[in-house]
Amino acid sequence: MLSRMVPNLPSSASANQPPNGDTRSHLNDAGHICILKDASRCESLTEIANLTSADQFDAALAIHLYKGGRHLQGSRIPFGIIFGGTDINEDIRSEEKRRVMGAVLREARFAVAFTTKMKELAAAEWPDASKKIYVQYQGIRTTPTETFDWCRFLQNADIPADTEDLHVFLLICGLRRVKDPLYLVDVFSDWHRKEPTVHLGIIGPAVDPLLTHEMKEKIKRAPGVHLLQEMPQDDLHAAMRRCFAVVNSSISEGMSAAILEAMDLNIPVLARNIPGNAAIIKHKDTGLLFSDPQEFVALSKSLMNDPIMEREIVTRAKDYVKKYHSWECERKAYQNLVLRLQ
């Protein structure tokens, strides 16, 4: 996605929202008027070029060095970049994409990495850009709906609401290959057959229609696994607050907002052991990291059977989010960075 801003102050920018969706809010509150544009839905590069050349736009801000940034090459207006995660972790392996990303980074006024590790990877590939890459952890703010009906949520998901010792795990992600939403389906369904009180709900937008179709067909034959309808963020936060644990099974991550939101809501997290997740989760301290589906089940069982460990993990995770993922600090950082686009 690509977003853009119309000036209301001497400067303005355009941005592709980070996963938590707050960048636009941060900049709006600084007096800028932001217009979001999903680059993937534009019919041609000319459409983007026409937008960025329009007189009323002063600057641009794009998420993802390749997907968003390539549309800003040669732009009339100054721009910044926010790394998405897959650009540095995955796209960098493609010679053509790496060439394009290097060219975009040379033109950008600044770039934002969610973690020090992400900055180091980018700086190793493009040393000349090192000084313009800033590390800014995602800020987190959760707003669960207080009137959320958990029983109705379970009913809509075909999960028995009257089951004792019910344990609902939620996998929250856009339905696309890099999120690997099918990774745990088989092993979880086998576990459910032995322990019918465990359920896995997969919830998120259907980004990849082909994968979504595959998932629907597979989940029909996977008892205990449920594909849930996308829901408003406030309701999603409320559902997270009632579930047993939040799960992440991605092949690659920049920084998962769902993980951080679960931490903020005092819900334990089980995440695939990949660099993006390991950057924010310390195993058995602020969450649990698994390397294969079998280990996921073993760790889940240990968490279910050890309420003291669960309580200690969520307490430390909450402290971590408060210390490193301040929503206010993120706001100040982006408002200051946009000044570099004047």
Side-chain angles (χ1 to χ4, degrees):
M1 288 170 56
L2 184 71
S3 79
R4 310 199 57 248
M5 301 172 63
V6 182
N8 192 30
L9 293 177
S11 74
S12 99
S14 89
N16 177 3
Q17 285 179 286
N20 66 1
D22 279 329
T23 299
R24 186 185 186 190
S25 168
H26 296 330
L27 300 181
N28 277 335
D29 287 349
H32 306 286
I33 301 174
C34 303
I35 295 178
L36 292 173
K37 189 70 178 178
D38 186 343
S40 67
R41 295 181 182 176
C42 291
E43 294 183 1
S44 67
L45 291 177
T46 304
E47 185 178 345
I48 295 290
N50 290 339
L51 282 170
T52 57
S53 64
D55 290 339
Q56 70 266 35
F57 292 97
D58 281 352
L61 178 60
I63 267 260
H64 204 285
L65 187 54
Y66 181 74
K67 291 178 182 176
R70 65 195 174 105
H71 295 291
L72 296 177
Q73 276 188 275
S75 175
R76 176 193 68 83
I77 55 178
F79 63 87
I81 295 290
I82 303 172
F83 295 147
T86 53
D87 42 12
I88 303 303
N89 295 327
E90 302 295 328
D91 292 339
I92 205 168
R93 299 172 187 172
S94 162
E95 184 176 346
E96 172 60 19
K97 289 182 179 179
R98 189 169 64 247
R99 182 192 64 76
V100 171
M101 292 192 293
V104 171
L105 201 50
R106 282 193 294 275
E107 291 185 41
R109 293 280 182 90
F110 64 82
V112 178
F114 293 142
T115 66
T116 301
K117 181 65 174 176
M118 194 184 294
K119 174 179 177 175
E120 290 173 349
L121 290 171
E125 184 62 39
W126 302 289
D128 292 344
S130 178
K131 291 183 179 179
K132 67 168 71 172
I133 302 174
Y134 299 84
V135 176
Q136 176 56 50
Y137 283 13
Q138 284 193 66
I140 290 299
R141 181 177 62 170
T142 53
T143 54
T145 305
E146 295 302 328
T147 57
F148 182 72
D149 192 331
W150 175 244
C151 288
R152 178 172 291 181
F153 172 81
L154 295 177
Q155 205 170 45
N156 291 339
D158 291 325
I159 298 173
D162 57 351
T163 303
E164 288 188 18
D165 298 322
L166 180 66
H167 292 87
V168 177
F169 295 73
L170 286 183
L171 172 57
I172 302 161
C173 65
L175 306 185
R176 52 195 179 107
R177 302 287 176 185
V178 73
K179 298 298 182 179
D180 208 2
L182 290 172
Y183 184 64
L184 298 171
V185 169
D186 287 336
V187 72
F188 202 101
S189 190
D190 288 343
W191 181 24
H192 171 80
R193 289 185 180 97
K194 298 169 188 172
E195 298 185 39
T197 60
V198 296
H199 292 262
L200 174 64
I202 303 174
I203 183 167
V207 181
D208 182 333
L210 180 59
L211 175 62
T212 303
H213 176 73
E214 287 179 26
M215 291 182 64
K216 288 178 179 178
E217 291 304 307
K218 188 174 183 68
I219 288 172
K220 285 179 184 177
R221 304 183 300 276
V225 181
H226 313 266
L227 187 58
L228 310 178
Q229 294 234 338
E230 189 180 359
M231 57 202 303
Q233 188 178 53
D234 293 354
D235 287 347
L236 180 59
H237 288 165
M240 292 167 69
R241 191 166 63 172
R242 294 296 303 272
C243 76
F244 174 70
V246 166
V247 180
N248 178 290
S249 60
S250 297
I251 295 169
S252 176
E253 282 284 1
M255 182 171 284
S256 168
I259 287 177
L260 296 172
E261 288 165 352
M263 290 177 165
D264 191 53
L265 292 165
N266 293 305
I267 300 302
V269 174
L270 294 110
R272 195 167 179 172
N273 192 1
I274 56 173
N277 290 342
I280 56 177
I281 294 175
K282 185 177 179 183
H283 184 53
K284 293 188 176 179
D285 185 79
T286 55
L288 298 171
L289 296 169
F290 59 88
S291 298
D292 56 57
Q294 291 71 32
E295 187 179 15
F296 163 79
V297 172
L299 289 170
S300 297
K301 289 179 178 179
S302 69
L303 191 65
M304 289 165 57
N305 295 326
D306 193 342
I308 294 175
M309 178 178 73
E310 178 193 355
R311 187 165 59 249
E312 290 176 346
I313 283 176
V314 298
T315 298
R316 288 190 292 261
K318 176 77 170 183
D319 291 342
Y320 164 79
V321 169
K322 287 172 63 177
K323 183 176 180 179
Y324 293 104
H325 296 275
S326 163
W327 190 81
E328 288 297 333
C329 288
E330 181 191 58
R331 165 167 289 203
K332 291 176 184 176
Y334 280 108
Q335 288 176 352
N336 288 333
L337 281 170
V338 165
L339 297 179
R340 295 176 176 273
L341 300 177
Q342 288 182 318

